[in-house]
Structure formats: C-alpha cells, structure tokens
Amino acid sequence: MTRYAGNAEALRALVREQEVHRDVYVSEEVFQLEMEHMFPNSWVYVGHDSQVPNAGDYFGTTIGTQPVLLVRHTDGKVHVLHNRCPHKGTRITSETCGNTGKFFRCPYHAWSFKTDGSLLAIPLKKGYENTGFEQSHAAPGMAPVRHVRNYRGFVFAKINDGGLDFEEFFGESLSSFDNMIDRSPVGQLKVAGGVLRYMHNCNWKMLVENQTDTCHPMVAHESSAGTAVEVWKKAPPGTKKPMAVEIIAPFMSPYEFFENMGIRIWDNGHGHTGVHHSIHSDYSAVPGYFEKMKAAYGEERAKAILDENRHNTVYFPNIMIKGPIQLLRHFKPIAANKTLVESWTFQLVDAPDMLLERTLMYNRLINAPTSIVGHDDLEMYERAQEGLHSNGNEWVNLQRLYSPDEAGQTNVAVNGTSEWPMRHQFRAWTKFMTMGM
Amino acid sequence: MSMVAEAPLKNAVPTDQELIDFVVREARLIDEQRFDEWLDMYADDAFYWMPLEWNQTDPRLTCSLMYEDKLLLSIRVERLKGARTFSQKPKSRCHHVLQTPQVDSRDAAANRYVTWTPIHYVETRLDEQALYAAWITHHLCVEDGKLKIKLKRVDLINCDAAFGNIQLFM
C-alpha cells in the first residue's frame, strides 16, 4: 500500500508545529522516500579528504543508502562517484579504502575507468560497434555525483541538481567546522585513530534528535555517568581526577547546567548545543598546546578559538560534530528501523598527541558498542522504536519551550533545554522531502 | 552457587596447570556473574583491552572497543547492580567456551606469565543472542602468593565489524 509516494500533502501532514507522526520513524515507505528525495536534495557528508591523500586513493561510503566512492583524481581534485559498474552494477571496489592506481577496474568484466569516473576501456570493444553504445547509460562510465564541495577538508555531496547551493544550505553553521579546524595550530585536521561502528535497531532520526536532547543525560545516563561519579567519590582524597572521570562525570550535570548552556538554531535544520559552555568546558589543559596556538594565532585569537566550547553541532540531515574534541558522528540510514552509527575522530595537525588520546578515550567511553553510555542511549531508542507501534497515540511530542513565532527565525540562541532544534530539523525534513515533488 | 574458590598457589612460582586453572576460573566467574570476585583477580594497575583493529599494537593513539583500568571496570560492575540500569532490564547472561589455555611464556624472574586462549562467547538478553569468537591473551603475575591479571587482551575475530550492544565481559 502506498500512502505517501508522490503525495507531498500527506508527507507535510506528518510534521506539525509541536508534534510529528510516528510514520516518520516506523514507515518503510517514508524511509524509501527519504532515500529518494530528502537525502538527494540535501548536502550530505561523504568523508574527509585526509582519507584520500594521494592520487588514486579511494574511500567507499554511502549517501543515504546509495553506495559512493570518494576518490582523489590524478589532477589532485576529490571526486565522488557512484560505486557501481555502468555495465552490470557490480560494486567496483573490494576494500573500504585503498589505492586504485591510475584507474578503476571492474572485477567482473574488466571495464576500466579513470579516477574521475570516465570510461577508459572495455575488453573486446568492437563488440559494441554499431550498437548505439555511445548513447547508452553505460557510455559515460561511473556516474559522478555532480555537486561536490570540499569545505576545509570535509567533503559534502548533493545528488540532485535542484535544491540549495552549498553556502545557502549551511549558512552560518559552518562556523562550528571552522572552530574545530582552527584548533589545529596549522588549521588542518587528519582522520586518525580508527572508526567505531555501532549498529542501532532504530530510526536514524532518533539519533540525530538525541544530539540536542539535553533533558536525557541525567536520567538515561544515571546508570553510567551517575555510577561513575559514585565510584569516583570513594577514591582516596587527593587522588588526581583521571581523564575518564573528566569525560563521563559532566553527563550528570543538573538541569540548570543544560538550561544555561544554550542552544543555537540555524537555517535548514542545523544547530548546536553549548552556546555558553558545555560538558567539554572543564577538561584539564594539555601541556604545550596553548603555547603552540598562541604562536600560531596570537594570544587573543588563540583564546577565542579555545573558549568556544560548543557541545554538539548537528548538520542536517545526518551528522554531528564536537569541535572541542574533534569528533564526527555519522548516522547512516539502513532501514526505517536500522541505523549504522560511525564515530570518526580527527587529529589536530601539529598539536600534542594527548589531545588525540583524550578524543579516542571519549569515543570509546561514549560511542563504542561496548560503551555503557551507548548502552543507555540505544536502550531508549529501541524502546521508542517498539513503543511507536502502539495505536494508542500516533504522535511524538516535540513541544518543550515552543513559541509560535519560531518558524522563520534563524541564528538565535535559546534555552538549552528547548526542543526547538528538533522542531527545526523536522521543518527542514519537510522542506527537503517535498522539494520538487 | 558452585564452589570455585580461589586455590592458593602451592609454590612461589605457578605451575602451567595453575595458570590454566586461573584463566578457566576467570571465565567461570564472569558466566556466574560473580563480578566482585572477578574484579579481585585483577591487579590494581591492570587493563582490560579489546582492540578495534586487527593486530593492533597501540591502545593510546588507536581507538579500541575497550581499554579500561580497574576504576572503569569497577564502574561497569557497579552499574550492572544499579536499579536504573535500563539496558540491563532484563539482564544479559553470557557463556564462555574455552579451548584449553596454552602457556605462551613464563618468566619467573620477571614475574610475568602469558597464556593464550581461543574462545567462543555467547551473550544473550531476552530474545537476542549473539555469538562472538575471540582469542584471549592473559598477562599474569604473582602478588602476595596469588595470581593476578596485569593485562587481559581480547582479540575478536571480527574486531572491525559493526556490533550491537556488548554489555558483559569476554
């Protein structure tokens, strides 16, 4: 049964000012429409250019559920290609990442392609003579994603021709990327430490919403962060607070802490928590780091960069970054009830190793499938994914601190426990879902 | 509850059989969820390490699934007892199948003994059951006449796979 395909009105009706219909989380049809419309109409994160430093380097990932390749072409430019052979559809690359040399070669029939995707050669090509092959879908080679933007190393792509250009889509929200990158004395990041991959039996949007949900940590994480605080209390007086406790304990901060941290709202579903302070504000200084920053930027600018303690910045549709600890979480949709969460970490080039060590500790303590904090969250998502099948109430409430005049506003800072960011994400969801319908 | 009390070492230097018995006992204490006794098997400066990468050598600047000192392990153990530990309602159970541990090296002078144990590990929670295969390397020492774990390294055969929750200990 199709309820929503080609029916922009029905899709719009799923999102109300203060609530959303459960079909945005549980309906496979809505999920397929997200993959056909919402993701292709949006600028979606693909990868970081440090993953493909040399010509011929590639990295395989997905935009929505579509397989794509990030690849460094011989001219040094980064391209995004659909990862399928134009012949039979075979995925071209075997490993997730590697170096393909000067060309890709399909392992099935040895069709080969330059690293910008264009067709290089086909064995026994004369078999295609006088067949009209030049007019076929196969002739151009591996189809490129036409709209690609490398923003200071972070590569985004938009599959559809319509929609917004890159600057219009992200607007002022790019300041969070700027702050994360500027924390390197040379203004450069490098993917480092390996990626944590954590499978979630829930809809991808539950994870996105949770990034700006500041009323859950002291409740859902009482079991992990609360226990950590209690166990730490028993340490002998005078014991130096370990890095792990510095990382976990702030999750137990009271409501007031989160109310006062503030939330900023930008256009198109982007926004961040931690306008004034965050759970990352009180980490111990890393020896030698500030001196390097001061030498690179001057004291005033270095302080301004490091005083910015944005908590979670959500980039619609499906990533979150943490500038102060150089971490990016990618919520990859697989099905209405299945999401792969990849948590990536970055090294600040020319900064002390201890910063990466802390980032990696944060990642494994909070984002690993073995993480007790992760267990707390996933339990809530999975219970919601189940609970939403109840017909007793078909709506999810997003009403906290709602104001009727918020729809047109952008770049405003509000109470840190507002659900405005979630309402804003769903306004963007409707916009990019129905765009061109 | 079954009796697997800790037997004191007969001599200052443990025999191979004593090393093997110790490794087997550790798995049994986890399966029987006797986590306080289990934690006592670890030296104060011990680490439990579950690498993320195949043949990983560095736990500091390469991420791991777990790289936890005794403080973090004790937080886990306390959390499992908590009234508001919702991811443990209902509770997980686990089951180890061990191949006979092999003693890879023994150095009484350095007080360092290393064993290697292939395992299958099953973790369940209500209707869910997951099977993992791993090799466990124990670095052991003798402290006050008792064996203690200095390092337990768990190398999953599919360490780089996307996992759901892993909530207990391999």
Side-chain angles (χ1 to χ4, degrees), chain A residues 136-174:
Chain A
S136 74
H137 286 105
M142 291 169 69
V145 177
R146 274 194 294 275
H147 309 280
V148 176
R149 181 63 187 270
N150 182 346
Y151 186 80
R152 301 187 67 183
F154 291 84
V155 181
F156 292 83
K158 180 166 66 70
I159 287 177
N160 283 355
D161 289 335
L164 308 180
D165 67 27
F166 182 84
E167 278 74 17
E168 203 182 352
F169 185 81
F170 285 115
E172 292 156 293
S173 72
L174 293 169

Side-chain angles (χ1 to χ4, degrees), chain A residues 200 204-217 251 258 261-263 271-274 279 311-315 317-322 327-331 341 343 362 366-367 377 381 416 418 421-422 425:
Chain A
H200 282 52
W204 64 275
K205 294 186 291 300
M206 290 183 184
L207 281 135
V208 178
E209 282 172 46
N210 192 57
Q211 306 310 308
T212 57
D213 184 319
T214 55
C215 285
H216 87 281
F251 282 75
F258 289 100
M261 78 152 56
I263 285 179
H272 79 90
T273 50
I279 63 167
H311 178 196
N312 292 342
T313 299
V314 168
Y315 288 100
N318 67 328
I319 61 166
M320 178 278 277
I321 67 166
K322 282 181 172 293
L327 197 147
L328 183 151
R329 301 186 79 201
H330 194 168
F331 310 111
V341 183
S343 297
Y362 185 97
I366 311 300
N367 298 327
D377 281 325
Y381 307 143
S418 176
M422 303 171 204
Q425 286 156 18

Side-chain angles (χ1 to χ4, degrees), chain A residues 262-284:
Chain A
I263 285 179
R264 189 178 300 283
I265 311 289
W266 290 299
D267 274 339
N268 300 319
H270 317 306
H272 79 90
T273 50
V275 176
H276 310 294
H277 59 259
S278 76
I279 63 167
H280 308 303
S281 299
D282 293 325
Y283 293 166
S284 299

Side-chain angles (χ1 to χ4, degrees), chain A residues 9-168:
Chain A
E9 273 319 298
L11 287 166
R12 282 191 197 99
L14 294 173
V15 177
R16 296 176 179 168
E17 279 288 280
Q18 303 168 6
E19 58 186 7
V20 294
H21 191 268
R22 54 104 181 262
D23 278 4
V24 304
Y25 305 100
V26 301
S27 160
E28 276 299 334
E29 190 196 0
V30 170
F31 179 84
Q32 288 309 325
L33 293 168
E34 287 178 337
M35 298 306 113
E36 285 170 31
H37 298 279
M38 204 213 71
F39 274 77
N41 285 331
S42 304
W43 285 92
V44 178
Y45 178 67
V46 179
H48 192 263
D49 73 359
S50 67
Q51 293 171 277
V52 290
N54 303 307
D57 285 349
Y58 65 85
F59 164 66
T61 179
T62 48
I63 296 179
T65 49
Q66 300 189 46
V68 295
L69 277 176
L70 180 70
V71 57
R72 181 84 65 173
H73 189 45
T74 37
D75 66 2
K77 218 177 134 209
V78 168
H79 291 253
V80 179
L81 308 175
H82 287 277
N83 192 2
R84 61 150 284 178
C85 183
H87 180 204
K88 294 280 193 159
T90 313
R91 177 166 50 80
I92 295 290
T93 50
S94 310
E95 308 278 346
T96 304
C97 56
N99 185 288
T100 192
K102 287 198 161 48
F103 60 90
F104 289 112
R105 178 179 180 274
C106 179
Y108 199 177
H109 302 95
W111 289 29
S112 60
F113 313 91
K114 293 181 192 167
T115 46
D116 62 359
S118 57
L119 185 62
L120 181 62
I122 298 177
L124 294 171
K125 190 148 188 206
K126 65 176 186 297
Y128 291 96
E129 280 170 16
N130 305 316
T131 65
F133 180 76
E134 295 71 19
Q135 281 75 53
S136 74
H137 286 105
M142 291 169 69
V145 177
R146 274 194 294 275
H147 309 280
V148 176
R149 181 63 187 270
N150 182 346
Y151 186 80
R152 301 187 67 183
F154 291 84
V155 181
F156 292 83
K158 180 166 66 70
I159 287 177
N160 283 355
D161 289 335
L164 308 180
D165 67 27
F166 182 84
E167 278 74 17
E168 203 182 352

Side-chain angles (χ1 to χ4, degrees), chain A residues 164-189:
Chain A
L164 308 180
D165 67 27
F166 182 84
E167 278 74 17
E168 203 182 352
F169 185 81
F170 285 115
E172 292 156 293
S173 72
L174 293 169
S175 57
S176 284
F177 270 114
D178 289 335
N179 180 257
M180 180 156 86
I181 300 161
D182 290 344
R183 283 167 178 268
S184 152
V186 293
Q188 206 185 331
L189 300 185

